[in-house]
Amino acid sequence: AQTVTQSQPEMSVQEAETVTLSCTYDTSESNYYLFWYKQPPSRQMILVIRQEAYKQQNATENRFSVNFQKAAKSFSLKISDSQLGDTAMYFCAFMKQRRGETSGSRLTFGEGTQLTVNP
Amino acid sequence: NAGVTQTPKFRVLKTGQSMTLLCAQDMNHEYMYWYRQDPGMGLRLIHYSVGEGTTAKGEVPDGYNVSRLKKQNFLLGLESAAPSQTSVYFCASRTINTEAFFGQGTRLTVV
């Protein structure tokens, strides 16, 4: 079974600064997806960024980027120029990339990191 | 485009009562999931479905049942609610090799 670990329950950052959220995972699979989801106080789950394991290039979405280290099974999220609206719970998630197999359909989440951006 | 819709958004139950949570998606997704979210524990998978007429157990299935009679709907049932089932419940759906799309969540309190 896959496991996802986020070792930072809470983090804070000053507005306009950069912060990095950590995520590690455990799997024997070689093909998979990794995601970061954001959950603001509204409770809605919002996709921030996704990474396909076969791609060596780190994914980037505007101020959000990842550092994907496949050998180390590490997937950290960097938020640049932090904004007050980035205050949210952030979840790292793992999903196998495989068709036609029920056990390969699960999306596994970490415990979450509560990020607070201070003015 | 409605995406994933959960009904109801809030509910208070008495211990022993039953209820059904409805999840509806209009994106023709094959996979659907029910998660519960508790403080410090992230999202834990209750049950999931890989297609119409199929269901499978997740990490924490005890006390819950599900059905997927139509591709667009995934129902989560609590036959005899317990205080330990107080939580926020999320439904999600996806197609093959894409990210999951989530509903807005249901806050359930069992007293």
Side-chain angles (χ1 to χ4, degrees):
Chain A
Q2 280 65 234
T3 58
V4 179
T5 302
Q6 295 177 248
S7 59
Q8 305 153 314
E10 297 180 353
M11 294 190 72
S12 62
V13 64
Q14 293 299 122
E15 197 175 5
E17 293 187 347
T18 296
V19 64
T20 299
L21 280 58
S22 301
C23 173
T24 59
Y25 58 95
D26 185 26
T27 185
S28 57
E29 301 290 327
S30 57
N31 297 318
Y32 49 88
Y33 293 95
L34 294 162
F35 306 94
W36 279 98
Y37 280 88
K38 168 185 176 181
Q39 186 182 44
S42 67
R43 206 169 66 197
Q44 182 65 43
M45 293 286 287
I46 302 165
L47 178 70
V48 175
I49 200 165
R50 63 180 271 168
Q51 175 79 42
E52 297 172 31
Y54 71 88
K55 291 186 177 180
Q56 293 186 342
Q57 186 174 5
N58 289 325
T60 300
E61 289 288 342
N62 300 314
R63 297 182 296 108
F64 299 88
S65 61
V66 298
N67 184 4
F68 173 48
Q69 301 290 328
K70 191 172 184 179
K73 296 180 183 176
S74 171
F75 184 60
S76 61
L77 175 69
K78 185 172 80 171
I79 306 174
S80 304
D81 186 24
S82 297
Q83 300 176 0
L84 297 178
D86 295 333
T87 292
M89 180 73 81
Y90 287 81
F91 291 100
C92 179
F94 172 99
M95 184 178 78
K96 286 183 194 178
Q97 183 180 7
R98 185 180 295 179
R99 297 185 63 157
E101 179 179 332
T102 56
S103 64
S105 304
R106 298 188 181 199
L107 184 61
T108 303
F109 286 85
E111 306 91 338
T113 296
Q114 176 64 49
L115 176 67
T116 301
V117 180
N118 299 309
Chain B
N1 189 352
V4 181
T5 303
Q6 291 182 228
T7 309
K9 294 182 176 58
F10 302 94
R11 184 74 186 268
V12 178
L13 283 181
K14 294 183 178 179
T15 298
Q17 286 186 320
S18 64
M19 77 164 294
T20 299
L21 281 67
L22 170 64
C23 177
Q25 54 94 4
D26 61 1
M27 297 174 282
N28 201 34
H29 285 171
E30 293 85 357
Y31 301 139
M32 296 188 75
Y33 305 83
W34 276 108
Y35 289 89
R36 60 176 289 172
Q37 182 181 13
D38 302 292
M41 304 185 77
L43 279 75
R44 293 183 293 167
L45 183 63
I46 304 172
H47 287 280
Y48 63 103
S49 168
V50 300
E52 181 178 322
T54 73
T55 63
K57 294 181 179 180
E59 301 172 66
V60 289
D62 294 343
Y64 305 94
N65 56 76
V66 288
S67 64
R68 188 150 179 219
L69 299 179
K70 295 182 179 180
K71 187 177 184 179
Q72 64 268 33
N73 296 336
F74 194 31
L75 279 62
L76 177 71
L78 286 72
E79 292 184 347
S80 179
S84 61
Q85 294 177 304
T86 293
S87 188
V88 178
Y89 292 84
F90 283 96
C91 176
S93 72
R94 67 176 181 88
T95 190
I96 293 172
N97 293 331
T98 67
E99 66 270 18
F101 294 82
F102 284 81
Q104 71 274 46
T106 297
R107 181 174 293 279
L108 174 66
T109 302
V110 183
V111 297

